């Protein structure tokens, strides 16, 4: 009797380039290149490739050499572009052709941050929703008007082509790929090993510049925030927060906005939504009970603020992301 052959590992190719920043490439290597025998499933087979086998300059003053050329893209199931050297410059004809051929062959194409410019140059984003770092979104739209640029989300999953915003959003997208390929249980386990949240929905807003001042020792605003985190299930008013900080309400609101970039009540709402995520993922408690447990006064209020923050309902989030 012939035994079934083990499943072939999913092959991932990531494109290195001269002048790259190391963070995005390192995230890809950490997610897909690190063996994970404890999961007891066929893990990914990662290949780092580049246009040249000569040493590549990396931001930070060091070099690296890829062991494979662009021909490695021909055998990949997923191709990841972690950036481009110059968002205003052309993408080489060789890279464009290799990306087109990979897509035509059925590979999944993924970009992180400025890598969307490479996919757009290859025509792979024409007529598709896509994102990039908010600093580059206007330029991406200007250079490639056929792309449906959404500058306000963390990442866009358009099936066989996926794009993400800035560096940390790229990590969210990579964990999303693991979730797509292996389910929420495996993705949550990997996220815990990385000590990052198991899921940030792609529809969440990018964190665009907000002024944050240095936190002083024994900072009154920080003290009020710590108090709020311990009392999320209770009614929290600006007056109560200002009282903990020993400030007048107007002074507290002004100081809070200067240090966090948002208002006290908006911050409390965001913390309550964040506190509901692990409860939705890991418990079977009714949505109404979860909303009450994190301090929302009614199920309607919980659903409203959750949907506004996560671009999906609590029930839909649970169906998609419970372990």
């Amino acid at each position: 009797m012939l035994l079934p052959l083990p499943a072939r590992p999913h092959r991932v190719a990531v494109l290195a380039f001269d002048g790259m920043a190391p963070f995005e490439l390192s995230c890809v290597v950490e997610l897909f290149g690190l063996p994970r025998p404890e999961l007891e499933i066929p893990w990914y087979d990662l290949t780092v490739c580049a246009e040249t086998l000569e040493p590549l300059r990396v931001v930070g003053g060091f070099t690296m050499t890829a062991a494979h050329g662009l021909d490695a893209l021909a055998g990949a199931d997923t191709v990841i572009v972690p950036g481009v050297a110059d968002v205003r410059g052309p993408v080489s004809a060789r890279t464009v052709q290799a990306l087109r051929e990979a897509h035509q062959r059925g590979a999944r194409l993924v970009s992180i941050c400025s890598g969307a410019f490479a996919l757009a140059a290859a025509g792979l984003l024409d007529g598709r929703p896509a994102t990039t770092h908010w600093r580059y979104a206007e330029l991406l739209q200007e250079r490639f008007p056929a792309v449906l640029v959404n500058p306000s989300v963390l990442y866009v999953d358009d099936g066989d082509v996926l794009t993400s915003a800035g560096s940390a959003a790229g990590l969210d997208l990579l964990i999303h790929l693991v979730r797509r390929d292996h389910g929420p249980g495996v993705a949550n386990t990997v996220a815990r090993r990385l000590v990052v949240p198991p899921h940030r929905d792609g529809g969440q807003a990018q964190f665009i510049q907000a002024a944050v001042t240095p936190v002083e020792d024994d900072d009154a605003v920080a003290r009020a925030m710590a108090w709020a985190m311990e009392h999320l299930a209770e009614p929290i008013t600006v007056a109560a927060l200002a009282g903990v900080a020993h400030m007048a309400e107007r002074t507290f609101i002004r100081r809070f906005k200067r240090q966090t970039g948002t208002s006290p009540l908006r911050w409390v709402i965001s913390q309550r939504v964040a506190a509901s995520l692990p409860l939705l993922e890991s418990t079977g408690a009714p949505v109404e009970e979860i909303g009450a447990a994190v301090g929302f006064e009614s199920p309607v209020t919980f659903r409203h603020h959750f949907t506004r923050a996560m671009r999906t309902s609590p029930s839909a989030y649970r169906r998609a992301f419970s372990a």
Side-chain angles (χ1 to χ4, degrees), residues 1 47 76 107 115 128 136-137 141 167 178 204 227 250 255-256 262 300 314 321:
M1 176 180 177
T47 299
R128 289 179 178 265
Y136 305 140
Q141 189 68 86
S167 303
V178 174
Q204 284 186 253
W227 177 86
R250 286 188 177 181
R255 182 83 62 83
F256 193 99
T262 189
V300 172
F321 302 113

Side-chain angles (χ1 to χ4, degrees), residues 252-264:
F252 177 76
I253 292 171
R254 187 169 58 251
R255 182 83 62 83
F256 193 99
K257 180 93 181 264
R258 188 168 68 241
Q259 293 189 199
T260 67
T262 189
S263 71

Side-chain angles (χ1 to χ4, degrees), residues 28-47:
V28 176
V29 173
E30 177 74 20
L31 259 294
F32 302 120
L34 185 67
R36 302 183 186 275
E38 71 278 5
L39 296 177
E40 299 181 346
I41 57 174
W43 201 238
Y44 300 87
D45 178 16
L46 177 68
T47 299

Side-chain angles (χ1 to χ4, degrees), residues 48-62:
V48 178
C49 59
E51 284 194 10
T52 176
L53 301 186
E54 297 297 320
L56 302 170
R57 294 168 298 173
V58 181
V59 172
F62 63 97

Side-chain angles (χ1 to χ4, degrees), residues 15-268:
L15 184 61
F17 55 94
D18 193 57
M20 67 184 172
F23 181 80
E24 292 85 352
L25 177 66
S26 298
C27 288
V28 176
V29 173
E30 177 74 20
L31 259 294
F32 302 120
L34 185 67
R36 302 183 186 275
E38 71 278 5
L39 296 177
E40 299 181 346
I41 57 174
W43 201 238
Y44 300 87
D45 178 16
L46 177 68
T47 299
V48 178
C49 59
E51 284 194 10
T52 176
L53 301 186
E54 297 297 320
L56 302 170
R57 294 168 298 173
V58 181
V59 172
F62 63 97
T63 62
M64 66 159 283
T65 303
H68 302 275
L70 292 180
D71 57 327
L73 271 60
D77 303 302
T78 294
V79 174
I80 302 177
V81 186
V84 294
D86 181 5
V87 293
R88 298 183 182 278
V91 178
S92 78
R94 290 180 59 203
T95 293
V96 164
Q97 185 61 27
L99 292 174
R100 287 173 178 166
E101 291 177 355
H103 183 253
Q104 291 167 0
R105 186 179 42 78
R108 179 170 61 185
L109 275 292
V110 179
S111 70
I112 299 175
C113 196
S114 64
F117 285 80
L119 299 189
L124 303 180
L125 299 182
D126 287 356
R128 289 179 178 265
T131 194
T132 186
H133 194 289
W134 59 268
R135 290 179 59 195
Y136 305 140
E138 186 175 348
L139 179 61
L140 181 65
Q141 189 68 86
E142 179 184 318
R143 291 191 58 193
F144 304 100
V147 181
L148 308 178
V149 180
N150 185 340
S152 63
V153 296
L154 295 178
Y155 58 84
V156 173
D157 180 344
D158 198 40
D160 59 338
V161 178
L162 302 91
T163 53
S164 76
S167 303
L171 187 55
D172 290 313
L173 176 54
L174 299 180
I175 293 174
H176 172 73
L177 291 176
V178 174
R179 189 181 296 269
R180 259 184 53 169
D181 295 342
H182 297 289
V186 170
N188 291 353
T189 297
V190 173
R192 283 194 295 271
R193 302 286 166 82
L194 294 170
V195 198
V196 297
H199 175 71
R200 287 202 297 166
D201 183 75
Q204 284 186 253
Q206 294 187 37
F207 294 103
I208 300 178
Q209 280 182 309
V212 179
T213 59
V215 177
E216 303 171 358
D217 293 338
D218 191 29
D219 178 60
V221 170
R223 186 167 62 248
M225 294 168 76
W227 177 86
M229 293 299 293
E230 295 175 357
H231 296 82
L232 281 181
E234 306 168 18
I236 297 175
T237 63
V238 174
L241 291 168
V244 173
H246 302 297
M247 293 180 186
E249 284 189 44
R250 286 188 177 181
T251 302
F252 177 76
I253 292 171
R254 187 169 58 251
R255 182 83 62 83
F256 193 99
K257 180 93 181 264
R258 188 168 68 241
Q259 293 189 199
T260 67
T262 189
S263 71
L265 291 184
R266 285 182 179 175
W267 178 83
V268 169

Side-chain angles (χ1 to χ4, degrees), residues 278-292:
L279 298 177
L280 290 167
E281 292 180 1
S282 62
T283 76
V287 168
E288 293 77 10
E289 290 183 11
I290 291 176

